[in-house]
Amino acid sequence: MIMYTTSPTPRLTLMAEGYPQEQRDAVYKVIAERRDVRQGFRPGPVPPEVLGRVLAAAHQAPSVGFSQPWDFIVITDRARRERIAALAGRHRDAFAADLPAARARAFDRLKIESILDTPVNIVVSCDRTRGGRHTLGRATQPRTADFSSVLAVANLWLAARAEGLGVGWVSFFDERELAAELGLPAHVAVIAYLCVGYVDAFAPEPELQSAGWARRRPLSWAVHAEEFGRRAMPGEEPVDPLADVLAAIAPPDAEAMAAARERQDRMTKPRGSLGALEDVSVRLAGLAGRCPPPLPEPACVAVFAADHGVHAQGVTPWPQEVTAQMVANFLAGGAVVNAFAAQAGAEVTVVDIGVAADLEPVPGLLPRKIARGTADFTAGPAMTRDQAVAAVTAGAEIARDLVAAGNRCLITGDMGIANTTASAALICAFTGADPADATGRGTGIDAATYAQKIDVVCRGLDRHHPDPADPVGVLAAFGGFEHAALAGFILGAAALRVPVILDGVIAGAAALAAAALAPDAIAACFAGHRSAEPGHAVTLSYLGLRPLVDLGLRLGEGTGAVLALPLVQSAARALRDVATFDSAGVADKH
Ligand SMILES: Cc1cc2nc3c(=O)[nH]c(=O)nc-3n(C[C@H](O)[C@H](O)[C@H](O)COP(=O)(O)O)c2cc1C
């Protein structure tokens, strides 16, 4: 029904209810069924009138100050498309060369452009100067010119879907290289390169999702009420993100575990001959809820970095600045964890969860600083309870985002000068161990410093009287921000039923906190190695985890856990790939 009403200014305003249901459905349908299409194009041309309609839809997009900054360059010439495809090919190869092994294999299977498979390519450009300096809105936010051209792309993409035309967006270009090929003047930027043609079918879900490259994030992760971080769907109460994560953690699936055990016994090898790896495969099946479980790849190690107030107590000979310097080293690819990760085919992500320095934003660094280091736990709590919860939540969200980005195995890493002291205190608080048994020499300290370190842990415990039934309180008393975030990272992995390989004593201390918050979280944990730190052995036996590697490492960074990645992956692969006595026609032992 349409109503006309008079507004205070004597002008007619069109008042309308929504569209009739059928038309509304069509709008939502086209939005849901629009796809980025890269294969299955028909070679036939697109009639000019259809192309015209689609371009007219693009041209009706909203734009900042009504500047309409877009232009559309329609390309059909084969020779030109060949030159453009070569430009994209070079960047595709460069990107592939930079990927960790499992990602590179997956990328190799993906088709990322259809420049030559489609009859027409359309470039949407942006003139960021159009309309002069008083273009409304753009004066304060110059980027809004680009946003406007992107909206033209969105209109084009939706209209094309309605016409049965597939559209594939290609961004593997050096923007100015492509601009030169198209004769764009210097003030005009390329916004989108679109490959357009008729297709036989539109995939029901994004191709990158069906290929396992990335997953769609649930809407509830993206909707915040009033303030960032206050998650609430319309009409619903805000959810406590940590409570949500804890509620999602459940025991392993007994049926899948039994199936895995039974399959291990039928595999063409003597029963039990894979030793601890058989248990790993059974636990992976229990976690995934199916047998065989998915291969734990791709894998990503997240190195959580933070500084510690207790450093002031002289517990280490290393200056605090080394934390930030090592973060730079991780990001430059120069640390041991980078070498091990490159060898094992894992990606390295670095998280600033509380480094006492300002870090430059660079690719690979997640800026999630809670504070510039903790306070000295011998003088008071290391952090507030709110900070502890914020760090745990940040860790869980990082786990979630890394899984949504396609990772099937998470690996803990850490960096923080003085963090073995905080770990020792946490381990004593959670397990009741004696500080003399749980405190180690960290990076290597003399007898006097070692005695001082034990004394610091004792003083901390005396001061705070930690209650292991209050894990947030324990983390707040002693923790590094990296311990709290790692606890959240473990909980996040467990909630999504993705395996998490634990590194040494810092991850162990964090796992104690995670287990205190949700005992079933340990079902997701695989102890990568046993560190030389004495507190780590205490932790592993307390948690009932068997380390996969025992090489006397005491470096941290995630190094021991990364070394164990191929073991965890091999355990899963054996369960999946090895023939059974009956399938291979091999006689079993009587
Ligand atoms: C800005 C932008 C750039 C993109 N660049 C590429 C690209 O270079 N290659 C590619 O295969 N897909 C590209 N895509 C498509 C995305 O992979 C795709 O939109 C995403 O996987 C979601 O799938 P859907 O569009 O089918 O919903 C791009 C998409 C956008 C929005």
Side-chain angles (χ1 to χ4, degrees), residues 34-36 38 111-112 157 169-172 206 208 216:
R34 179 211 52 80
R35 283 274 77 79
D36 184 82
R38 290 157 231 165
K111 186 154 170 24
I112 54 113
W157 215 334
W169 184 327
V170 191
S171 47
F172 281 76
L208 291 186
R216 189 179 296 288

Side-chain angles (χ1 to χ4, degrees), residues 500-512:
V500 56
I501 307 182
L502 306 180
D503 194 37
V505 71
I506 285 83
L512 289 169

